Amino acid sequence: MARNGKKNAKQVFVTGFPNFASIRIVQKIVETEPRSVVHLLVMEKDLPFAQALSRRVKKSQQRRIKFYTGDVNALDLGLAGSEYNELTGRITHIHHLALAWNYARSYRTCRELNLGGTRNLLEFAGECAALEQVVYYSTLYVSGKRRGVIREDEFEHERGFKNYWEETRYNSEKMAREYLEKGLPVTIMRLGNVVGDSRSGDFRTFNGPYQLVKLLMLTDRNLPIFLPGDCEGPSNIVPVDYVVDAVLHILENEACTGKAYHITDPYPLTTRTVFDAICSYLGRKPPTFGIPRRFYKTVLLIPGMERFAGVPKQMFDYFNHKAVHNCSNTLAALKGTDIQCPRFEAYFPIGIEYARELLQRRMEKQEEAETVDPYDRQGA
């Protein structure tokens, strides 16, 4: 606790490392909070890669990064008894990012990770004697099949979900709010579709919007392109640097505890506008019309077609879904700062050029694909 008006050094526990968002959050903490110590829960198979990543920061910062081999799906997070006791006696802040971020995951993986893993983490948090804050990283898409304007303070609904991923993310956020009601200091951050750094283009894997970018780069530019429907749903694309800056700034205010924040572009472009801009930049003719969604999904049900396209059919459920996620809490918390979500038009060429170079290196086998989300390999 604080003494003489000064806060003690933070002891931060982070799950989900080394997924992309967790890497950037850890980097920002050690760079801007010189007294904070970060404790990372890492799956054993990802430990060498995680340790290599940590060596990219200054040596003085490396000393404040501690590794623990474990798994949120395991009892006591897979930690040894002595480690568990040490951490529960020390941790002040928790960032829970060990969740399924890919909506193409199987129901079993989504259930085990989003529900089982979250329950284990929250039970661990409840044992932390010095705990000040738990940050639960949710997604905009807990809104499921709801349409229209969705506020940050709107939680439960009965409109249903587009897939198991949404449903289990919704239920895991609901679980976090139940622990909040029991006294756990939980803050909920609902993220949009996180893409690379708006300044450097840096990203780690061809998931989400990058799957479409990759498809456009690898196919004949004269090949006609068709989209499912009119694609007038908001794209909800948000650069990772904005996500990290916004989240960490908001968390500095103790009044944020118990609230939910939509961390996304407050003025999202439609999926169609984004797709047209990318096509034009790559020298491809933008699609002139869309074909019925059901027909498009039927094409992707042909054996091998989804693998060839590299785009999971679940993605197309979002292209025409007209749900607007209001960001009032986030914008109010950032008022008076220079933290603003960059406009898509300003940064997307940087991201495409980074993607082009990364794809070229990997195709030439000069660079192996880096592990991004330690849980993304647990079934499709």
Side-chain angles (χ1 to χ4, degrees):
M1 301 299 290
R3 294 181 180 178
N4 300 322
K6 294 184 178 180
K7 291 184 178 180
N8 292 335
K10 293 179 183 177
Q11 298 286 332
V12 185
F13 186 72
V14 180
T15 69
F17 199 86
N19 68 31
F20 187 42
S22 69
I23 293 171
R24 296 298 296 261
I25 288 168
V26 169
Q27 182 180 16
K28 185 78 172 183
I29 290 174
V30 297
E31 287 180 351
T32 61
E33 302 177 13
R35 298 179 65 225
S36 294
V37 179
V38 180
H39 307 263
L40 304 178
L41 184 70
V42 181
M43 298 177 74
E44 184 175 6
K45 65 180 182 299
D46 294 309
L47 187 58
F49 176 67
Q51 291 173 329
L53 278 176
S54 71
R55 291 192 287 272
R56 297 182 182 180
V57 299
K58 297 178 181 178
K59 289 186 177 180
S60 60
Q61 298 167 355
Q62 292 177 28
R63 290 193 289 269
R64 292 185 286 112
I65 300 176
K66 312 295 182 183
F67 291 95
Y68 297 83
T69 302
D71 187 343
V72 292
N73 287 331
L75 180 66
D76 291 342
L77 306 183
L79 296 166
S82 58
E83 293 175 326
Y84 191 92
N85 292 334
E86 176 192 0
L87 288 170
T88 53
R90 175 179 297 182
I91 294 303
T92 60
H93 295 72
I94 295 174
H95 290 259
H96 181 42
L97 293 118
L99 297 144
W101 294 95
N102 188 335
Y103 36 69
R105 297 299 92 197
S106 68
Y107 175 66
R108 177 180 176 181
T109 298
C110 290
R111 184 186 68 244
E112 291 179 352
L113 185 55
N114 294 338
L115 296 176
T118 295
R119 180 178 294 105
N120 292 340
L121 184 280
L122 292 171
E123 290 179 355
F124 166 82
E127 297 289 330
C128 293
L131 187 68
E132 298 178 23
Q133 192 175 72
V134 177
V135 190
Y136 174 82
Y137 288 83
S138 187
T139 170
L140 297 183
Y141 302 112
V142 294
S143 58
K145 293 182 178 180
R146 289 192 57 197
R147 292 178 179 269
V149 178
I150 299 168
R151 301 195 312 269
E152 289 154 304
D153 60 356
E154 292 181 312
F155 298 116
E156 297 187 29
H157 67 85
E158 297 180 354
R159 295 299 300 273
F161 304 94
K162 294 185 284 295
N163 49 55
Y164 293 131
W165 175 75
E166 286 186 348
E167 182 179 2
T168 54
R169 291 300 300 266
Y170 171 88
N171 286 325
S172 61
E173 181 187 305
K174 183 178 179 181
M175 186 189 304
R177 286 186 281 106
E178 290 171 351
Y179 275 77
L180 170 65
E181 293 173 358
K182 297 176 183 178
L184 206 64
V186 177
T187 301
I188 295 170
M189 298 292 176
R190 297 192 189 123
L191 308 188
N193 295 317
V194 181
V195 296
D197 191 289
S198 66
R199 296 157 299 194
S200 67
D202 177 43
F203 72 97
R204 299 289 170 179
T205 191
F206 286 91
N207 279 340
Y210 292 103
Q211 291 171 299
L212 289 173
V213 172
K214 181 179 179 180
L215 179 63
L216 292 173
M217 288 180 175
L218 293 179
T219 55
D220 187 339
R221 69 173 55 189
N222 295 315
L223 186 69
I225 300 171
F226 304 99
L227 291 178
D230 57 12
C231 293
E232 291 300 319
S235 59
N236 294 318
I237 292 173
V238 57
V240 69
D241 47 309
Y242 172 71
V243 170
V244 173
D245 290 346
V247 166
L248 294 183
H249 176 81
I250 292 170
L251 294 175
E252 285 302 309
N253 186 349
E254 294 180 359
C256 75
T257 301
K259 295 182 180 179
Y261 297 86
H262 288 162
I263 311 297
T264 188
D265 189 338
Y267 310 105
L269 300 177
T270 65
T271 301
R272 178 59 180 263
T273 301
V274 168
F275 199 80
D276 285 355
I278 294 173
C279 284
S280 296
Y281 186 84
L282 292 175
R284 302 191 65 135
K285 184 179 180 181
T288 55
F289 64 91
I291 59 177
R293 169 178 166 271
R294 277 183 286 183
F295 177 75
Y296 206 107
K297 294 188 75 173
T298 299
V299 170
L300 285 175
L301 288 175
I302 298 174
M305 180 61 72
E306 185 175 2
R307 179 178 297 180
F308 169 76
V311 181
K313 56 182 176 289
Q314 292 91 338
M315 178 180 292
F316 301 113
D317 291 329
Y318 296 90
F319 284 15
N320 299 289
H321 189 72
K322 297 178 181 178
V324 178
H325 295 82
N326 180 275
C327 304
S328 296
N329 285 353
T330 298
L331 296 179
L334 298 178
K335 187 176 181 179
T337 74
D338 60 356
I339 303 173
Q340 296 181 348
C341 185
R343 299 302 298 153
F344 174 79
E345 298 91 335
Y347 68 80
F348 90 89
I350 300 172
I352 290 181
E353 290 306 319
Y354 188 95
R356 194 198 304 273
E357 294 175 8
L358 181 61
L359 182 61
Q360 183 66 28
R361 289 198 303 267
R362 291 183 179 175
M363 290 179 65
E364 294 174 353
K365 298 183 179 180
Q366 293 178 356
E367 176 181 305
E368 294 184 0
E370 293 182 328
T371 302
V372 176
D373 190 329
Y375 297 95
D376 251 4
R377 295 174 303 223
Q378 296 186 10

